[in-house]
Amino acid sequence: MLSIRGIGKRKLDKIKEALVKERDSRQVLIYLQSLGLGNKTSMLIYKTYQGDTIEVIENNPYILIEDIKGIGFNIADDIALRNNIDKTDLFRISAGVVYYLNQQANVNGNCFIELVKMIDDVSKLLKIDSIYVKNALLNIEIEGKIKTEKVQDDVFVYSRMLYDNEKNVVANILRLILSEEDQQQNILELIESDDIKYSDTQKEAILQALYKKMLIITGGPGTGKTTIIKGIIKLLENFKMSFQLCAPTGRAAKRMEESTGHGASTIHRLLGYKSIESEDGFLEYNRDNPLKTDVVIVDEVSMIDIYLMSNLLNAIDTNTKLVLVGDVDQLPSVGPGNVLKDLIDSNLITTIRLDRIFRQEESSNIIKNAHLINSGKRPVLNEENQDFFFIRTRNEAHTLDTVVDLIANRLPNHYKVDPLKDIQVLSAMKKGVCGVDNLNAKLQERLNPQSFNKEEIELGKHVFREGDKVMQTKNNYDLDVEDEFKNKAKGVYNGDIGFIRSAFTKDGACEIIIDDKKVVYDYKAMTELALSYAITIHKSQGSEFPIVVIPMVSGPYMLLSRNILYTAITRGKQIVVLVGDEMIMNRMIENNFRQNRNSTLAYFLRKSYEFYEENDI
């Protein structure tokens, strides 16, 4: 080849190197595909490990879980067993323990699992004797992946991240409440001179918001939480104190903004969440750079999981007051922990409980029935000129047809509303005749059918079409969001609802309008979308819709519970319609099942506070 004009020794060496590299990459890709991996995943793995790929995988395939997006325990375990890795290998047990704890957190909301149960469950998962799991725990803890803690007579096992976040919440709360000083400001006269006539409990809440470093205000719908927030804001303005309003989701923040007349943001935006890959950190506001404001007021706190509360508290300066507002009877957060309930149960944070329904709400059967259901009583149904209705059906198929007809015809025609923007179907379940998946397919077919002038994109079993109502299913801090004035921000969050304005089938992308802001999704980001003509009741937390339609059909015991029905009903602002079997509704009201979540937040708060008191720190 050196005889070829223009090719010298240096160039020849480069050509040889490229050929060897190409041959090696081909061999690696063939090897990866022999393990059952697809082309895309195989290429991603090869780009990560290059020539060391085979050696890395044969040594510890479980490292893929940490390094390669999209590979979880089950895929890594399948690769390991294909490579004849021993079932009792420490790498395998370590990955199995971490996977199990993460599943408990993400699916069941648990921050810890009892040691004995964890050993038994993981040994069954890995199909090995429990002694191997027991013997591996010390090594796994030394690696920093888990934490064991003796609590009274039990030993609990946490993922290290959850343990650290729970302890961080405890430390931050103690930092705030132990820094309180007696304040002598006489602000009662200002409150009593206000145009609004507050109840004694509301006055107390407004007073405590200025006296306390932390305050919790909890109550059901119509009990005056928003009135209190507005009263606090008015007082802060009188004292020329700065404040920030926020909520866990975009829809909840928008509601807060509309009800108070002041700007509100998601907690994520308030903290300045950035891309995980950002060089200057994940959060703009943190321990080293706290929020510069006198008071932070947070609404819909029942939705906040332990991770988000940890990040929020990191950004609260010791001189800043924190007011937490929420309904403790709502469903707990989607993420792990039961933060609002735990904070109240600790008895360390001043808590104002609202239980009086105010006159302006008394005419609403939605409010009245929500409180009746929450106390285990039957609701008032189908009163003339009211806002709460029950439509009885013969069976689930009839329920499905009735729900679709209500959305497409009856409700829009009677109330002159937009079936997409003003009506939301809430179901307790994803599967089944009246589950979210089937409802979305039927409602898409009825409200936004296939048409020659509408572009659409197929993603697996789902079709996304111009005009579709969609929901973001996980936080994505990298997506660009642009408002009507061309101002740009980052981030779309779990639970955000929008509409597909246009689809670009050549690029596998679409443009979506979320809260009047434009977001362009590429093909990869679109996998985080779901149709949202119907959504689960869990996903509806923090949102409010003009009209809510709820199918009453049979399902798993844990999903047919009182607080699930209560949560669904309280999402309706103007009209609530239940459709189906009245016996199912009655069964839900009688079923006061609440899935216990393992959390030591309240316990650690009390113990830590006692330690400070005993040692006079």
Side-chain angles (χ1 to χ4, degrees):
M1 193 174 281
L2 287 171
S3 61
I4 300 174
R5 189 175 179 181
I7 295 182
K9 187 173 185 310
R10 187 179 296 175
K11 193 162 189 178
L12 179 61
D13 288 342
K14 284 187 176 180
I15 291 170
K16 285 179 179 178
E17 186 183 337
L19 288 170
V20 169
K21 194 172 181 181
E22 186 179 342
R23 182 197 66 200
D24 290 346
S25 69
R26 195 160 51 241
Q27 288 175 342
V28 171
L29 291 172
I30 290 169
Y31 166 78
L32 291 171
Q33 286 164 14
S34 74
L35 298 175
L37 297 168
N39 287 333
K40 189 176 176 183
T41 304
S42 297
M43 284 300 298
L44 192 57
I45 293 171
Y46 179 72
K47 283 179 182 176
T48 304
Y49 304 121
Q50 297 289 315
D52 298 326
T53 300
I54 295 174
E55 184 183 349
V56 167
I57 289 176
E58 288 184 344
N59 180 48
N60 177 19
Y62 298 98
I63 197 71
L64 296 169
I65 301 169
E66 299 172 23
D67 294 345
I68 309 298
K69 191 174 181 180
I71 291 192
F73 174 77
N74 291 325
I75 294 175
D77 198 43
D78 183 57
I79 292 170
L81 297 176
R82 284 173 185 249
N83 273 294
N84 298 315
I85 283 183
D86 194 290
K87 285 189 175 183
T88 62
D89 187 280
L90 181 59
F91 285 135
R92 183 169 189 259
I93 297 172
S94 176
V97 167
V98 171
Y99 168 74
Y100 170 77
L101 291 173
N102 286 340
Q103 284 291 99
Q104 286 292 324
N106 297 332
V107 177
N108 300 320
N110 291 323
C111 294
F112 70 83
I113 297 295
E114 297 87 346
L115 177 64
V116 174
K117 175 176 169 54
M118 193 279 294
I119 290 172
D120 186 51
D121 287 350
V122 172
S123 63
K124 288 175 182 174
L125 171 72
L126 300 179
K127 297 182 173 62
I128 59 176
D129 194 282
S130 60
I131 193 66
Y132 293 108
V133 179
K134 186 177 181 180
N135 290 341
L137 290 180
L138 181 58
N139 280 322
I140 301 170
E141 186 160 8
I142 290 170
E143 287 178 348
K145 293 182 177 178
I146 65 170
K147 181 73 173 74
T148 58
E149 179 93 14
K150 193 172 191 303
V151 177
Q152 296 175 332
D153 296 327
D154 295 311
V155 178
F156 299 152
V157 186
Y158 307 72
S159 76
R160 186 75 218 197
M161 185 183 293
L162 266 171
Y163 180 83
D164 289 345
N165 275 274
E166 198 172 80
K167 285 288 192 175
N168 185 58
V169 169
V170 170
N172 275 313
I173 287 175
L174 290 177
R175 170 176 62 85
L176 291 174
I177 64 177
L178 291 172
S179 67
E180 278 180 0
E181 297 176 359
D182 290 334
Q183 301 203 24
Q184 302 301 320
Q185 288 171 305
N186 183 10
I187 56 177
L188 191 56
E189 290 180 9
L190 275 172
I191 296 173
E192 291 179 339
S193 67
D194 199 335
D195 294 337
I196 301 171
K197 297 304 174 190
Y198 300 103
S199 69
D200 290 342
T201 307
Q202 288 176 320
K203 286 178 189 175
E204 178 68 11
I206 297 167
L207 281 167
Q208 296 294 352
L210 266 74
Y211 288 157
K212 297 291 182 180
K213 281 293 177 66
M214 281 190 75
L215 173 69
I216 295 172
I217 300 166
T218 185
T223 55
K225 296 190 296 294
T226 300
T227 300
I228 291 171
I229 293 173
K230 289 162 76 173
I232 293 168
I233 290 170
K234 188 172 284 190
L235 210 57
L236 295 174
E237 288 177 328
N238 281 333
F239 282 108
K240 296 186 168 31
M241 294 172 70
S242 59
F243 59 90
Q244 296 273 12
L245 307 181
C246 61
T249 65
R251 294 184 72 86
K254 191 172 183 180
R255 280 176 53 206
M256 196 180 191
E257 192 169 282
E258 290 169 351
S259 63
T260 63
H262 292 269
S265 71
T266 62
I267 298 172
H268 299 88
R269 285 215 166 91
L270 178 68
L271 299 180
Y273 268 68
K274 303 173 185 176
S275 166
I276 294 172
E277 288 80 21
S278 175
E279 291 181 4
D280 54 349
F282 188 33
L283 290 169
E284 181 179 354
Y285 295 100
N286 48 47
R287 283 191 194 92
D288 300 322
N289 182 34
L291 293 162
K292 296 165 181 64
T293 188
D294 294 316
V295 182
V296 174
I297 304 174
V298 191
D299 200 6
E300 296 288 355
V301 177
S302 64
M303 298 180 67
I304 298 179
D305 64 24
I306 196 72
Y307 298 127
L308 188 55
M309 180 56 76
S310 180
N311 285 326
L312 174 62
L313 287 168
N314 280 344
I316 302 297
D317 186 78
T318 305
N319 296 315
T320 297
K321 300 177 189 299
L322 181 62
V323 179
L324 304 174
V325 184
D327 184 350
V328 75
D329 291 318
Q330 296 279 357
L331 291 169
S333 57
V334 174
N338 203 353
V339 173
L340 179 58
K341 182 177 184 299
D342 287 342
L343 295 184
I344 293 171
D345 289 348
S346 74
N347 294 317
L348 291 181
I349 302 164
T350 301
T351 299
I352 305 294
R353 296 175 184 269
L354 308 171
D355 52 18
R356 174 184 164 190
I357 303 174
F358 287 90
R359 269 193 300 275
Q360 62 265 32
E361 305 289 357
E362 285 176 356
S363 61
S364 167
N365 273 358
I366 295 175
I367 303 295
K368 188 186 298 180
N369 286 339
H371 287 272
L372 285 170
I373 287 168
N374 198 35
S375 60
K377 297 173 183 174
R378 302 280 190 273
V380 177
L381 303 176
N382 300 333
E383 283 191 342
E384 193 173 351
N385 300 319
Q386 260 301 339
D387 52 10
F388 195 102
F389 305 98
F390 197 108
I391 299 175
R392 297 164 184 84
T393 56
R394 297 185 300 276
N395 50 46
E396 290 191 10
H398 186 205
T399 301
L400 176 66
D401 291 341
T402 304
V403 168
V404 172
D405 188 50
L406 279 168
I407 311 305
N409 292 317
R410 292 161 66 177
L411 290 171
N413 291 339
H414 186 79
Y415 292 104
K416 310 303 179 193
V417 294
D418 185 322
L420 293 179
K421 294 181 179 177
D422 298 322
I423 308 174
Q424 184 61 57
V425 182
L426 305 179
S427 176
M429 292 150 288
K430 288 184 178 179
K431 304 300 178 185
V433 174
C434 291
V436 164
D437 293 345
N438 193 47
L439 279 164
N440 272 318
K442 297 296 183 184
L443 287 165
Q444 182 191 45
E445 184 183 313
R446 186 71 175 271
L447 297 173
N448 191 31
Q450 190 176 35
S451 172
F452 74 92
N453 62 347
K454 288 181 185 175
E455 295 286 2
E456 58 183 47
I457 297 172
E458 285 190 42
L459 271 176
K461 297 177 182 177
H462 303 288
V463 174
F464 294 104
R465 189 174 295 140
E466 289 179 7
D468 272 339
K469 185 177 183 179
V470 292
M471 173 182 276
Q472 177 74 16
T473 60
K474 59 175 69 173
N475 294 337
N476 187 323
Y477 308 109
D478 295 323
L479 285 172
D480 290 314
V481 179
E482 183 179 280
D483 67 17
E484 58 183 316
F485 305 108
K486 305 294 182 183
N487 298 315
K488 289 191 176 181
K490 285 276 188 185
V492 179
Y493 305 108
N494 188 0
D496 284 350
I497 291 177
F499 298 88
I500 299 178
R501 183 159 73 179
S502 56
F504 316 112
T505 51
K506 289 180 183 177
D507 303 341
C510 65
E511 184 179 287
I512 298 176
I513 304 301
I514 299 175
D515 292 331
D516 301 322
K517 297 178 180 68
K518 181 177 76 173
V519 188
V520 176
Y521 282 70
D522 60 18
Y523 189 86
K524 183 179 176 183
M526 283 184 68
T527 61
E528 299 171 356
L529 290 172
L531 293 176
S532 63
Y533 299 95
I535 61 176
T536 62
I537 295 166
H538 280 85
K539 285 285 189 184
S540 73
Q541 287 173 269
S543 298
E544 194 174 67
F545 309 95
I547 301 176
V548 163
V549 177
I550 312 163
M552 291 284 100
V553 294
S554 61
Y557 174 81
M558 64 186 65
L559 293 178
L560 298 182
S561 67
R562 184 186 302 170
N563 73 324
I564 285 181
L565 180 58
Y566 171 76
T567 300
I569 287 167
T570 56
R571 301 307 91 202
K573 190 175 180 181
Q574 297 168 9
I575 303 291
V576 170
V577 184
L578 276 56
V579 183
D581 186 344
E582 195 170 336
M583 286 180 63
I584 298 294
M585 179 193 73
N586 294 337
R587 197 180 304 164
M588 292 180 81
I589 295 167
E590 291 164 6
N591 177 15
N592 201 22
F593 169 83
R594 290 181 184 236
Q595 188 168 10
N596 290 326
R597 290 188 163 194
N598 294 343
S599 165
T600 37
L601 178 58
Y603 171 82
F604 283 143
L605 272 168
R606 286 193 296 267
K607 293 297 287 184
S608 300
Y609 185 78
E610 287 167 10
F611 176 81
Y612 276 86
E613 289 281 284
E614 288 168 7
N615 293 278
D616 196 26
I617 297 175

